[in-house]
Amino acid sequence: MIRHSRWFLLALAPVAFSAGAFTPENGFYDMLTSDAGPLGGGTGLAVEIQNDYLFAVGNVYRPDGQPTFVTIEGPINPLPGGGWGLSDEHDLYTFSGGQCIGNLERCPYRKPKSSHVGGFSIVFTAENEGHLDWGEPGNRASVTLRRSCVGSICYDAPSSLLGEWDVILERASTADGLRFGGDKLAIATVTPTGERRTIGGCVAASDAIAPACAQAAARERIEGVATRCTDASCKGYRYQLVVRANGGTHRDRIIRVYTFGENGRDGGAFGGTIRGRVDLCAGGARSADECSTHAGIAFIAYKSASIGFVRDGNGTN
C-alpha cells in the first residue's frame, strides 16, 4: 500500500466500489474444485485490486504435473443484484521458461514464454469468496474461490480493518473549541468473541514511524467492537470505535466515537475505504452514548499502511 497525503486523498473522494454492497478483498485465495473437499488445496490465486482494476496470478499445474502460473487482468465491474465480476474469453495466458531460483551463474535472466490457454470469468460473491471459470472452450474448469485463513481467524470483514487508516472529514470542526480535522487510526488487534469482534489500537502520531500501539502509553487509545447484524437493517457487522484521551483533565475519557457499517446504505465495506460518521465529545465522555456534540459528521478513511507496519514498522506503508 502507498501512503498518501491528505490533500491527495481529498482529490480522490469518488471512491472505487461505491456501487456494490461489499468490496472484494485483496489477498491469496484457495481454488477448490467440486471434488477437492473442504481441505483441498495446492492451487491458488493471488488477487490485487487497485482503482477498479484487477490483476491476479494463479499457481496451477500442467496435465503432466509440472507447475506453472497464469495471469488474469482487467477492469472489474459491479454486477446486477450485487457482486463484482470480470470476464474475458481470450486473454488467459500461462508462462514457462523464465528465470529459475538461484544465483546468476546458474539462473541468469531469461524472458518467459507466454502461451494462450483460453478465457476466464471471475465473480466475487462476498468480500472473501468468489467463483472462477477458466480454460479453453470445451475444457473449462470451474472453481470456488475462498480467501485463505491466517492464524486463528479467517480474513472476514472485521479483520480486514487491521492496518492504518487516514481519516478525512466531510467538514472540519472548530465549534466549542474542538479543533479536529481527522485522525490516523492504527488498528492493531481484532479478536473474535462469539458473534463479536473486539478491536484495539491507537492514533498514530507520524506518517513515517510505526505507531507500535502496545508500547505507546502516551498515545490516544482506540477501543472498539464489531457486532454481527441480526436483522435486515444492515449486512455483515456494525462497528463502533472510541478514541480515549491520553492525558490532561480528560485522561481516559472518550473524546471521539466512530461508527460505520458494511452495506451500501450505511457506508462502505473494506478493501481500502471506509465511510461513516464521527461524533466529537465536548469535555470528554464516560460512555459512547454521551458523545453527541457534533452528531453525524461524515468521514471517509483510506487504508494507508499494513498491519505489519502498525505492529513493528516492517510492513508496507
Side-chain angles (χ1 to χ4, degrees), residues 6 9 165-169 180-185 258 278 298-302 304:
R6 294 192 189 280
L9 291 173
W165 300 81
D166 288 341
V167 173
I168 298 172
L169 300 186
F180 177 65
D183 275 322
K184 187 176 289 293
L185 304 176
Y258 289 89
V278 58
F299 78 86
I300 183 169
Y302 294 87
S304 57

Side-chain angles (χ1 to χ4, degrees), residues 246-267:
N246 62 347
T249 58
H250 303 321
R251 183 176 180 84
D252 289 332
R253 293 285 186 95
I254 297 172
I255 52 177
R256 293 184 290 284
V257 178
Y258 289 89
T259 55
F260 49 95
E262 292 177 24
N263 61 17
R265 181 182 59 196
D266 289 341

